[in-house]
Amino acid sequence: MGTMNRMRENTGVILWILVISFGGLWVLQDSGVFDTMGTDPLGKVIVVDGEVITREEYNQQLEFQLEQIRQATNATVEPERLEFERERAFNTLVNDRLRQHEMDRLGITVSNREIQELIVGDRPHAVILANFSDESGQVDRSLLQSVIDAPEQEGTWIQIEEYIRQDRRREKFDEAVSATVRISDADVHEEWTQEAQGASAEFFFLRYADVPDSAVAFTDRDIRRYYDDHRDDYMRERLYSVELASASKLPSQEDTAAVFNELERLRDGFVLAEEDSAYLASVGSESPWSEAFLGPADLDGALAEALFESNEPIVPGLVAGPVIVRNTVQLVKILETRDAEETNVRARHILIQAQEGNAEEESEARSKIREVQQRLNSGESFGDLAGELSDDPGSGSRRGDLGWFGEGTMVPAFQDAAFDGRAGQVVGPIQTQFGFHLIETTARASVEVKLARLAVTLDASVATLNALTEMLEDLRYFSEETGDFAGEAARRSIGLQSMDMEAGQVAIPGLGVSHALAKFLEGADEGDISPIIELNDVAIMAHVVSVREEGVQPLEEVEYIVRPQALLEKKKAYQRTRMEDAYAEGGFDGLVQALAQQPRAIDRLSYYDPVVSGLGRDLIFAGTVFGLGEGEDSGVVEGANAVFVVRTTALSSPSPLDEDDMNSRRANMLSDRENHVTNQWIAFLRETSEVEDLRTDLLPQRQ
């Protein structure tokens, strides 16, 4: 009765349940619900083969996607992700319209009788099952009929019927696509054979990289010849030379201080709160409530340090902070403690690399690590020496710090030393497969804590962002007045980068990703200046210095690429000639004497792991081996990294598939191939259709 009352009281509620449950604004578009929402005064933003998609539809699709992200991440949508979602909304709407047009062309329809069966028949539609099932999972027929008969639900039911009609229509379209796909037993066996078949082989090879430059005659004519033969490789899109002015969107010192002050204002209330979850909800804490017990290795490094490395005892009631944790500032209160199942430690190390088993490298590394010990014993700082000498670039930049970790995280010898050492004691040298380590355990903890977190987002304030906007707008105004973008940026101490960007390029080296910049450049001419474009951490403004049309890049621009490629081609020819001459003398067996080398052997080669010692990853080699019969050799073959001759010595046949495996593999292959065919179909429709993009939402908007 409760369900029926809710449905009667909230006209249209079922339809919105459909949107949430089945994930796609096409539910609303196809059902005609936009007819009840009013028309968009801004009009069309996309036109697909003459059919208009309104701004209302576009904004609704975008908002649907953004809400899914917010619910999944419990966070705002950053500018770069927002731009990506705008493009996804555009493509979703275009593809949906193309599918609709194709269904019209194919004459795919759904009769009223089919709709009736999907609502009240023996096999009801999923939305009927989802909203009208009883505790046993069967449709409550009386509830369903009572809602159907309710006069106040008539308009909603018309829309639900239309949704079911369109859903079944799309299902028929997918079935039509699926009907073109077949997976035979031979297809299944072929995939299984490629996956499971192994081979053994022996081979000779001559690597291209082993040829010294002086061994081949190489002139500018070779570079020109290679360039002429591969001109298509040096095609470029329209190229824009731009100057990018950028200003940080990170919080200012004043913004950070304001957040710290706000937390200090809330501290007393947080300390005294008896119902912590209610208090955090009342002040709008950004950190979700959790009942979990956590050790230091489970926490952000700064937070673990504040709790587990302070002089305060780790007891319920202790409040630590404020601490900056990613994009928030947090106060944390310990609610409960308990003994941990395993100890966590924090350690730092100095690594001198040496390949295990290489006596020369090991001897040299031992000598270096002893020198480091002597410098430590003479009073030099562990952190300074780690930054200067450690071969571990990650921890070296942090003065050797590895953070907190638990048992099983490090290799055994390292773990034993770190967990056995006293705090402040330097242990070592300890040898692992990475080399020799000096290890200092800096802290340890054997308790876990349950926390309440009072978190405030650390964002740039409105005042900071307004000042940034004003600064960039002034840059644009005065640059247009003076024609000196770089000079005006320098006068305002705004950072400037010069770079070339191809048409359609969305990645901005060193800054981020922007579809907005790519869209601005589409129609830009020399001298144009973009509006302000937001990325996640910076706001940018682009000045177009010059524009070069698409075409083949001249040799002088790409010679630094062409030269090594042309030289490699000469080295390939050199090694191929050597191998062909040697093979011609005595075939495969004669290569031992002709090349003065013994054949290499590989015991287990597969299509899915075509890595060969001496050759690296080489699909040509793997394909050659599996294309030979046992005892056959390949003759001279030019591979990815070397010219080789290979003899297949054994081929292992995979075990036969039973019926269940056959059916499972067939289903997976069928699904993959159906998706591939559908995607190809949509891609073809996109290529042969006329799509106008009339959107004006170039710039990201803060959420």
Side-chain angles (χ1 to χ4, degrees):
M1 183 63 70
T3 302
M4 185 170 69
N5 286 339
R6 285 197 302 274
M7 292 177 178
R8 286 176 173 170
E9 291 168 3
N10 298 287
T11 302
V13 69
I14 305 174
L15 186 64
W16 291 103
I17 291 173
L18 301 183
V19 180
I20 296 170
S21 301
F22 291 89
L25 195 72
W26 61 270
V27 172
L28 299 179
Q29 297 159 357
D30 295 341
S31 69
V33 73
F34 286 120
D35 296 338
T36 69
M37 291 183 174
T39 58
D40 175 22
L42 297 179
K44 60 189 178 183
V45 293
I46 308 170
V47 183
V48 182
D49 287 335
E51 182 180 355
V52 169
I53 296 174
T54 66
R55 180 169 297 280
E56 179 73 16
E57 292 174 86
Y58 171 71
N59 286 342
Q60 288 282 354
Q61 174 66 38
L62 177 60
E63 180 56 32
F64 173 80
Q65 294 170 195
L66 296 179
E67 185 58 28
Q68 285 186 316
I69 296 170
R70 295 187 195 107
Q71 291 181 9
T73 63
N74 194 34
T76 57
V77 181
E78 293 191 320
E80 292 179 35
R81 180 63 186 268
L82 178 57
E83 285 192 19
F84 172 82
E85 292 302 323
R86 283 194 173 114
E87 294 306 302
R88 189 161 73 91
F90 171 83
N91 288 319
T92 296
L93 291 171
V94 170
N95 290 348
D96 281 346
R97 286 302 193 272
L98 291 173
R99 288 169 68 103
Q100 291 289 337
H101 296 169
E102 191 68 2
M103 287 188 284
D104 292 341
R105 186 185 70 81
L106 295 173
I108 297 176
T109 59
V110 179
S111 67
N112 291 335
R113 181 179 293 276
E114 287 179 273
I115 299 300
Q116 185 177 8
E117 279 295 311
L118 289 169
I119 295 175
V120 298
D122 294 335
R123 301 180 64 184
H125 189 274
V127 75
I128 302 299
L129 284 171
N131 293 284
F132 296 97
S133 293
D134 56 25
E135 294 180 355
S136 67
Q138 300 298 312
V139 173
D140 186 332
R141 301 286 175 180
S142 60
L143 173 61
L144 174 62
Q145 193 60 52
S146 65
V147 176
I148 292 173
D149 293 339
E152 64 270 26
Q153 294 291 344
E154 180 178 358
T156 299
W157 272 103
I158 291 173
Q159 292 175 348
I160 291 175
E161 288 177 5
E162 183 60 21
Y163 158 66
I164 294 176
R165 184 186 306 277
Q166 293 297 340
D167 190 42
R168 176 59 185 144
R169 190 173 184 232
R170 297 165 75 91
E171 190 177 70
K172 285 186 172 183
F173 175 80
D174 291 339
E175 289 170 354
V177 174
S178 299
T180 67
V181 178
R182 293 284 185 274
I183 301 294
S184 66
D185 288 352
D187 294 330
V188 178
H189 281 295
E190 181 179 356
E191 184 187 77
W192 168 238
T193 298
Q194 286 193 0
E195 180 179 323
Q197 186 178 32
S200 298
E202 52 184 2
F203 60 98
F204 296 87
F205 66 94
L206 296 173
R207 282 187 301 217
Y208 312 133
D210 291 339
V211 181
D213 293 355
S214 59
V216 295
F218 185 65
T219 66
D220 288 345
R221 291 183 61 186
D222 295 308
I223 298 173
R224 168 59 68 178
R225 185 181 301 110
Y226 185 91
Y227 170 79
D228 290 339
D229 291 343
H230 299 83
R231 292 176 68 87
D232 289 347
D233 294 343
Y234 307 108
M235 290 288 296
R236 67 158 178 241
E237 301 290 336
R238 197 175 195 226
L239 190 69
Y240 304 88
S241 292
V242 298
E243 294 172 327
L244 287 181
S246 62
S248 172
K249 289 168 49 187
L250 297 177
S252 66
Q253 291 182 349
E254 292 78 9
D255 297 333
T256 303
V259 173
F260 272 73
N261 291 337
E262 174 65 10
L263 282 172
E264 289 298 339
R265 185 183 68 81
L266 296 171
R267 179 186 287 272
D268 288 345
F270 186 41
V271 170
L272 298 174
E274 296 182 0
E275 294 293 335
D276 292 285
S277 60
Y279 176 79
L280 294 178
S282 71
V283 298
S285 173
E286 296 291 340
S287 182
W289 179 261
S290 173
E291 297 285 342
F293 280 86
L294 305 169
D298 303 316
L299 298 170
D300 179 88
L303 195 54
E305 183 174 342
L307 286 171
F308 290 91
E309 299 180 55
S310 72
N311 294 324
E312 298 290 333
I314 302 173
V315 294
L318 172 67
V319 174
V323 177
I324 296 177
V325 180
R326 291 182 290 278
N327 67 328
T328 65
V329 182
Q330 298 187 9
L331 284 177
V332 293
K333 181 199 290 187
I334 296 179
L335 303 179
E336 296 180 48
T337 65
R338 71 180 185 188
D339 291 337
E341 293 183 1
E342 62 177 39
T343 298
N344 284 179
V345 301
R346 183 174 186 177
R348 56 184 179 174
H349 80 142
I350 298 171
L351 168 67
I352 303 300
Q353 284 183 328
Q355 184 177 350
E356 196 171 25
N358 186 318
E360 183 177 346
E361 285 192 15
E362 289 183 356
S363 176
E364 184 178 347
R366 280 194 183 92
S367 177
K368 287 183 179 179
I369 206 77
R370 290 193 187 101
E371 291 177 9
V372 177
Q373 281 182 300
Q374 291 172 0
R375 292 176 66 176
L376 282 172
N377 292 336
S378 67
E380 291 192 54
S381 161
F382 191 105
D384 290 345
L385 290 174
E388 176 188 349
L389 301 172
S390 180
D391 289 330
D392 178 3
S395 69
S397 63
R398 300 188 302 272
R399 297 172 60 81
D401 185 32
L402 296 166
W404 285 89
F405 54 90
E407 295 178 11
T409 305
M410 303 296 182
V411 295
F414 190 102
Q415 174 179 292
D416 291 344
F419 278 82
D420 291 344
R422 299 188 309 274
Q425 177 188 11
V426 177
V427 179
I430 303 298
Q431 185 176 8
T432 71
Q433 62 262 47
F434 303 107
F436 292 88
H437 310 256
L438 294 176
I439 304 167
E440 180 186 7
T441 300
T442 57
R444 63 176 64 243
S446 300
V447 296
E448 295 178 327
V449 294
K450 183 163 74 173
L451 301 174
R453 304 192 195 196
L454 174 51
V456 176
T457 300
L458 182 57
D459 281 335
S461 65
V462 172
T464 297
L465 294 175
N466 285 343
L468 179 153
T469 300
E470 183 177 348
M471 179 176 64
L472 289 176
E473 288 292 2
D474 283 350
L475 170 62
R476 178 174 181 169
Y477 174 81
F478 286 103
S479 295
E480 289 175 342
E481 289 290 310
T482 65
D484 184 8
F485 187 84
E488 294 296 335
R491 277 187 279 279
R492 290 163 178 77
S493 300
I494 299 174
L496 203 64
Q497 293 176 255
S498 297
M499 61 185 66
D500 289 339
M501 297 193 66
E502 289 189 346
Q505 179 180 332
V506 297
I508 309 173
L511 292 177
V513 173
S514 177
H515 293 273
L517 179 58
K519 189 171 179 63
F520 162 74
L521 291 175
E522 278 181 13
D525 294 318
E526 185 175 316
D528 286 353
I529 300 174
S530 77
I532 298 171
I533 297 173
E534 281 194 60
L535 304 181
N536 290 348
D537 297 327
V538 297
I540 63 173
M541 180 173 283
H543 169 237
V544 181
V545 177
S546 64
V547 180
R548 284 173 283 181
E549 296 303 322
E550 64 179 340
V552 178
Q553 299 175 80
L555 175 58
E556 55 269 21
E557 288 186 8
V558 294
E559 184 176 349
Y560 71 99
I561 300 173
V562 177
R563 177 177 291 274
Q565 292 172 331
L567 180 58
L568 177 61
E569 199 73 9
K570 296 286 285 189
K571 291 181 178 182
K572 285 183 179 181
Y574 178 87
Q575 295 290 54
R576 184 172 59 247
T577 300
R578 281 186 64 201
M579 185 67 83
E580 286 173 346
D581 290 345
Y583 185 74
E585 287 183 20
F588 185 89
D589 294 326
L591 291 175
V592 172
Q593 183 175 354
L595 296 178
Q597 64 176 244
Q598 294 296 317
R600 295 280 188 97
I602 182 167
D603 293 328
R604 179 68 182 176
L605 181 70
S606 74
Y607 279 112
Y608 288 85
D609 185 22
V611 177
V612 183
S613 176
L615 298 180
R617 181 179 176 82
D618 195 333
L619 293 171
I620 298 173
F621 182 89
T624 302
V625 170
F626 285 106
L628 298 171
E630 291 186 5
E632 293 181 347
D633 73 62
S634 63
V636 179
V637 179
E638 194 173 283
N641 301 305
V643 61
F644 62 83
V645 179
V646 61
R647 173 188 286 165
T648 299
T649 55
L651 291 169
S652 61
S653 298
S655 57
L657 291 170
D658 61 29
E659 186 174 351
D660 288 343
D661 287 336
M662 282 284 292
N663 292 336
S664 175
R665 284 181 170 275
R666 190 193 313 278
N668 290 336
M669 291 175 65
L670 187 63
S671 176
D672 290 344
R673 197 166 297 181
E674 286 172 355
N675 289 335
H676 180 68
V677 170
T678 300
N679 291 336
Q680 283 189 318
W681 196 334
I682 295 296
F684 172 76
L685 294 177
R686 288 289 291 258
E687 290 176 0
T688 56
S689 63
E690 184 176 345
V691 179
E692 295 180 74
D693 183 359
L694 306 176
R695 293 174 296 161
T696 57
D697 57 345
L698 169 67
L699 298 180
Q701 302 168 356
R702 279 188 290 278
Q703 295 297 291

